[in-house]
Amino acid sequence: MSSNLLSKIKTDLEKEVDTTVLSTLSQTGCVLTTDGWSDITNTPISNYVVVTPKKPTFLKSVDCSGHAKTGEYLANQLKGAVDETHCRL
């Protein structure tokens, strides 16, 4: 049951994000923000948040283990986040 409930909640949240935030990006524009941090085991994590006039919305977290945080790597990660938001328009 918990697996089915979790899947339903995930689907419902994705629909809400698509309809209330990401579907309006072409009209309102947005800012993509990112922040890097490490968890308690020193795993490097990058978070991505889309900020629109309606509200900020968490997009994704990326485990950056095994990657040097070079400008090229970070630019590719940001490009992926931008591409992901445009795919949902």
Side-chain angles (χ1 to χ4, degrees):
M1 179 177 150
S2 65
S3 172
N4 292 338
L5 181 58
L6 186 58
S7 294
K8 182 182 179 337
I9 290 171
K10 181 178 183 276
T11 300
D12 291 348
L13 284 172
E14 286 174 342
K15 284 180 188 176
E16 179 184 345
V17 168
D18 284 345
T19 58
T20 63
V21 178
L22 297 180
S23 65
T24 62
L25 291 181
S26 61
Q27 293 91 26
T28 63
C30 71
V31 174
L32 177 65
T33 63
T34 184
D35 182 41
W37 59 283
S38 297
D39 66 11
I40 60 172
T41 62
N42 283 333
T43 303
I45 307 288
S46 290
N47 291 324
Y48 297 87
V49 176
V50 176
V51 181
T52 68
K54 288 192 177 232
K55 63 180 176 180
T57 303
F58 173 79
L59 183 62
K60 66 179 179 177
S61 281
V62 176
D63 178 348
C64 302
S65 296
H67 299 282
K69 293 180 185 173
T70 63
E72 183 178 354
Y73 174 76
L74 295 174
N76 286 333
Q77 290 297 310
L78 279 169
K79 183 181 180 325
V82 168
D83 291 345
E84 188 171 328
T85 58
H86 285 291
C87 289
R88 292 184 171 184
L89 288 176

